[in-house]
Amino acid sequence: LAKTTQPISMDSYEGQEVNITCSHNNIATNDYITWYQQFPSQGPRFIIQGYKTKVTNEVASLFIPADRKSSTLSLPRVSLSDTAVYYCLVGDTWSDYKLSFGAGTTVTVRA
Amino acid sequence: SQTIHQWPATLVQPVGSPLSLECTVEGTSNPNLYWYRQAAGRGLQLLFYSVGIGQISSEVPQNLSASRPQDRQFILSSKKLLLSDSGFYLCAWTTTDRVEAEAFFGQGTRLTVV
């Protein structure tokens, strides 16, 4: 898996948009970018995944520039329930079986 | 649909006692299986992963071991627990059908070694 770097923590307020950027300078051609969300005492859950450009689902958007050396997870209009740890993973499960999660970004949403 | 079962949910064990945590996956074949540990307020530490029956890769040297006796069964064990083994243990699986497969996690086991 490509090494990733993301901020340790971010604070926000309800109704704001939260953008978390993940750097992955040594991303490989076959690598996908996947984001997970983890609440306390629960396992991480898949949020969104992309390869290039922009991906959007009902939960978030993922922006990937042309060089793919970084990606930005965008959470629109956050609520208190979006307080969680967010992990960015970059890899290709066919050639690298390890799923190593970094420290993630702790997002705290305040009222 | 695929599901993952992990048990028990909580466990309190004395130092020096053995440990056995079990994880099973349903609805898929030949998954990649993983064991993670998470200390309080920390990130996920990959302990073991397996790409097939009897194939175990260890990431962190410690007094824990893992086994995969069946395709969809993954077991985490210890002969003698240490206080430092306390933590939140998570089992996960990914499919091998797609290169971009995401991981699915069990509900976790909260282990307290006393």
Side-chain angles (χ1 to χ4, degrees):
Chain A
L1 262 62
K3 180 176 173 57
T4 60
T5 302
Q6 53 184 120
I8 296 297
S9 63
M10 298 182 71
D11 289 341
S12 183
Y13 290 92
E14 285 189 292
Q16 290 187 334
E17 178 181 79
V18 172
N19 297 306
I20 310 171
T21 297
C22 180
S23 299
H24 28 82
N25 291 320
N26 58 339
I27 188 170
T29 302
N30 294 330
D31 286 346
Y32 282 77
I33 302 161
T34 309
W35 285 81
Y36 294 84
Q37 175 192 56
Q38 185 184 24
F39 298 114
S41 297
Q42 294 185 27
R45 71 177 183 118
F46 170 88
I47 299 177
I48 198 167
Q49 184 182 71
Y51 183 81
K52 62 180 179 181
T53 62
K54 177 183 174 181
V55 179
T56 297
N57 62 22
E58 65 279 5
V59 176
S61 294
L62 179 60
F63 299 91
I64 306 169
D67 65 6
R68 304 202 326 124
K69 293 185 182 299
S70 67
S71 59
T72 299
L73 174 72
S74 180
L75 306 172
R77 296 180 300 281
V78 295
S79 63
L80 295 176
S81 62
D82 292 315
T83 294
V85 179
Y86 294 83
Y87 299 93
C88 164
L89 269 74
V90 174
D92 151 26
T93 57
W94 278 359
S95 62
D96 188 345
Y97 308 115
K98 291 166 53 175
L99 283 177
S100 296
F101 287 72
T105 298
T106 299
V107 173
T108 303
V109 180
R110 307 181 192 280
Chain B
S1 63
Q2 304 93 349
T3 56
I4 178 169
H5 302 280
Q6 185 182 344
W7 67 93
T10 59
L11 194 59
V12 179
Q13 293 284 97
V15 170
S17 64
L19 172 74
S20 180
L21 301 180
E22 188 165 343
C23 171
T24 59
V25 180
E26 297 179 355
T28 188
S29 298
N30 194 33
N32 292 336
L33 297 172
Y34 304 84
W35 277 112
Y36 294 87
R37 177 171 63 198
Q38 188 169 37
R42 306 294 295 273
L44 291 164
Q45 179 186 35
L46 178 62
L47 300 176
F48 301 95
Y49 65 95
S50 171
V51 300
I53 296 175
Q55 301 179 60
I56 309 295
S57 296
S58 174
E59 285 299 292
V60 182
Q62 57 208 333
N63 68 322
L64 298 173
S65 62
S67 62
R68 185 171 178 173
Q70 301 180 45
D71 181 43
R72 291 168 291 176
Q73 183 185 30
F74 206 22
I75 298 172
L76 182 69
S77 303
S78 174
K79 293 182 178 179
K80 290 185 177 182
L81 284 169
L82 306 172
L83 288 173
S84 58
D85 292 323
S86 293
F88 189 50
Y89 287 81
L90 287 158
C91 178
W93 72 275
T94 63
T95 181
T96 52
D97 294 342
R98 295 176 289 115
V99 66
E100 72 277 19
E102 67 265 32
F104 299 91
F105 285 80
Q107 290 304 300
T109 296
R110 176 76 59 191
L111 172 66
T112 304
V113 182
V114 296

